[in-house]
Amino acid sequence: MLRFGPNIDLDLTAFGDERVRLEALVADLWHVSLNKCPASSATRDAPILEEWRLALRPTLCLTGLTTGHPKLPGQQRAIVTSGLWMFSEQLGLGRTESRWYQLGRPVSDVSKDS
C-alpha cells in the first residue's frame, strides 16, 4: 500500500516502481486479450516454478459500511474491499484495486459515540 497526503513525504521511488509494475501487467492483459496468449518474448526467460499449486494469501483491504457503491446497492451495506493500493487518512481517501473510497468515520470513532 502506498501512503499519501498533505503531511506525508511521498516515496516517489515506490510510486514509480508500482506504476511500472502495473503498466507491465496492463500491457500483458492487452496482449493476451488480443492474441489469446502472451508474447513469446514475455515468457521466454520466465522463471520455472516446480511443485506449484494455487493458494490464497491475505492482503490489506478496507471493511466498513458503504453507501453509493456502483455495484453494491443500498445504504450502510457491509463490505470487504479488494486489495488496498493507496491510502490517505488525512484526505479521507483509499484506493483499492477497483475504485476510490471516501472514508467517513473509522470504527474506533463510532464506538466512542455509543
Side-chain angles (χ1 to χ4, degrees), residues 12-24:
L12 295 179
T13 300
F15 269 81
D17 291 347
E18 194 64 15
R19 191 188 75 246
V20 168
R21 188 177 73 83
L22 291 171
E23 287 171 348

Side-chain angles (χ1 to χ4, degrees), residues 6-111:
N7 299 323
I8 293 177
D9 292 330
L10 290 182
D11 182 347
L12 295 179
T13 300
F15 269 81
D17 291 347
E18 194 64 15
R19 191 188 75 246
V20 168
R21 188 177 73 83
L22 291 171
E23 287 171 348
L25 172 60
V26 169
D28 287 342
L29 288 167
W30 272 110
H31 194 279
V32 170
S33 71
L34 296 173
N35 300 290
K36 296 189 168 82
C37 64
S40 59
S41 61
T43 60
R44 183 179 312 115
D45 296 323
I48 297 169
L49 182 64
E50 299 286 358
E51 298 185 30
W52 65 271
R53 72 180 110 204
L54 298 176
L56 297 174
R57 64 181 182 154
T59 186
L60 193 59
C61 63
L62 295 166
T63 65
L65 305 175
T66 187
T67 300
H69 193 288
K71 295 188 176 183
L72 303 171
Q75 302 271 329
Q76 300 290 297
R77 182 174 174 164
I79 67 164
V80 176
T81 69
S82 56
L84 187 62
W85 286 77
M86 292 190 289
F87 177 77
S88 176
E89 191 169 351
Q90 294 171 316
L91 296 176
L93 294 170
R95 177 58 161 98
T96 68
E97 293 170 15
S98 307
R99 66 188 36 80
W100 284 100
Y101 285 91
Q102 297 179 62
L103 305 176
R105 294 188 304 169
V107 71
S108 60
D109 288 351
V110 174
S111 61

